[in-house]
Structure formats: structure tokens, C-alpha cells
Amino acid sequence: MAAIPKPSQDNEATVFVIDDDAGVRASLQTLLRSVGLRVNTFGSTDEFLAGRMPDAPSCIVLDVRLPGVSGLDFQAKLIQSSIQIPVIFITGHGDIPMTVRAMKAGAVEFLPKPFRDQDLLDAVQVGLDRDRVRRENDRATANLMSAYQTLTAREQQVMALVTSGLMNKQVAADIGVSEVTVKVHRGNVMHKMGAKSFADLVRMADTLGIRQTKP
């Protein structure tokens, strides 16, 4: 399993370039910096894993052929370790099977050398945008989970049941309380979760994966 790089407090979007060719690293660094992007370069995947990651949107420009672990194998290790950094592959020795494998695993782009500077810049922008959206979604989910954890055990139970489509009367019969009590719990759930409507609460339950299906 790949070791997760330690986070830093820096929040500037960053492009990581991993290539064993110093000339390529320098060229890509110059190109990316020319459009105002922050760039960190590494000669191997081990160097990257030993570094610190900014707590900000990022992506990796990764050479397919590297000493030791190949770029494709490194991509697989990142996925196995739940490191969800978008990857843009570059290679001077690519083929269709490589491309298919990389794209199926979620790569942003697979660029054969020599590639147009603009093609790389476009792919990097897509990667950073993708990571920005993922991070926003992760924060939203974390906030939802924090709100959910403020619910009592009974309120969590009621939320799961009402968002599964059961009427208050059915929920009351299912958990052995009065319908009035269910209404009180339901109101507390709406308030604590910050739900603006019942449809909003259902979306929250879907995001948290807590909706129940009656057998």
C-alpha cells in the first residue's frame, strides 16, 4: 500500500510532476509556472510519498515509465490507499492497452510525448477542477456526518425510516412509539440536520448511506 504523504497547512493549488528525467521535470515546471501554477517536482514515486501535500486542490503529472514501480502501478497503489489525486499520464512509449488501463482507473488524460503544451495545461486544469469538486463534496459530507452525530439514537432511527418512504404512522408502529412522538423526533431531525425540506433530508440520507429499506 502506498504511504499517504503528510498534509501541510499550505492551501495553494499544486501540480506534482513525477518524472525520472530531470530535463522533462524542469521543462514542465517552467511551463506550469508560466501560467501561475505552483509546481513540485520529484524524480521518483518514493520522493513524492516522502513529501508533504498541501491541504488544497492538486493533481499529478506522472510519467508511465519510472524506475521501480511504473506509473500505472503507482496509480493503482494510490487508488488502493484511497489517495484520490487526479493523474495525468505522460509517456514516450505508450500504447493502446496502457491508455485503456490508465483511463479505466480514472486518469484525467494520457498524453504521448511530444505533446502540445496547451494539451497538458488543459488536462492539468481539468485535474485541479476535479480535485476541487471532490474536496468540496468531502467537506460537505463531513459536515453532514457531524450534524448526524448530534442526533440521538432514536432520532437517527427515525431519520432512516422516514427517508425510506414510511409514513409517521408506520414508523411509530415499527419502533413502538406514538405517532406524536415520531413527529417530534422528525422535527428535531429536520432542525439538527439543517434540512430545508423533506426532499433535502432525503438527499442527506442518501449521501450518508443511511436510508433503510423495509423487508
Side-chain angles (χ1 to χ4, degrees):
M1 300 285 280
I4 300 177
K6 296 178 181 179
S8 73
Q9 296 303 310
D10 197 338
N11 59 8
E12 183 180 357
T14 303
V15 181
F16 300 103
V17 175
I18 307 176
D19 195 303
D20 62 326
D21 186 319
V24 171
R25 294 198 303 273
S27 176
L28 292 178
Q29 184 175 58
T30 298
L31 171 64
L32 294 164
R33 284 182 173 175
S34 73
V35 293
L37 292 171
R38 175 175 178 170
V39 187
N40 289 347
T41 65
F42 306 90
S44 69
T45 56
D46 286 342
E47 285 183 22
F48 167 75
L49 293 173
R52 288 183 175 272
M53 290 189 60
D55 184 15
S58 58
C59 68
I60 300 175
V61 177
L62 179 63
D63 190 14
V64 172
R65 297 205 172 184
L66 294 167
V69 177
S70 73
L72 290 171
D73 288 340
F74 183 63
Q75 179 193 30
K77 288 186 176 183
L78 290 177
I79 294 170
Q80 291 168 6
S81 299
S82 298
I83 303 176
Q84 303 178 53
I85 306 175
V87 175
I88 297 109
F89 279 104
I90 56 175
T91 181
H93 309 280
D95 55 32
I96 292 176
M98 281 185 183
T99 304
V100 170
R101 176 181 170 186
M103 301 306 287
K104 279 189 173 181
V108 174
E109 188 57 274
F110 194 98
L111 298 173
K113 299 174 184 177
F115 47 78
R116 294 174 58 247
D117 288 351
Q118 191 59 51
D119 288 341
L120 178 67
L121 293 175
D122 288 346
V124 164
Q125 191 58 59
V126 170
L128 292 175
D129 287 345
R130 182 183 295 181
D131 199 46
R132 189 172 290 108
V133 169
R134 176 191 64 80
R135 289 170 56 81
E136 289 173 354
N137 289 340
D138 286 349
R139 280 195 295 270
T141 300
N143 289 338
L144 276 183
M145 181 55 71
S146 293
Y148 179 72
Q149 290 173 345
T150 68
L151 303 181
T152 65
R154 181 65 86 187
E155 289 167 350
Q156 290 178 358
Q157 187 179 25
V158 168
M159 179 177 174
L161 291 171
V162 298
T163 55
S164 73
L166 295 184
M167 303 295 289
N168 290 342
K169 183 186 302 183
Q170 294 172 304
V171 174
D174 188 86
I175 63 178
V177 298
S178 70
E179 187 175 351
V180 171
T181 299
V182 170
K183 289 180 179 179
V184 171
H185 287 318
R186 182 168 172 167
N188 289 340
V189 168
M190 294 287 290
H191 175 70
K192 291 181 179 180
M193 294 301 297
K196 297 178 180 178
S197 66
F198 181 66
D200 194 21
L201 188 67
V202 171
R203 285 191 291 271
M204 293 177 178
D206 281 337
T207 298
L208 295 171
I210 62 169
R211 289 180 69 188
Q212 293 187 7
T213 302
K214 291 294 289 180

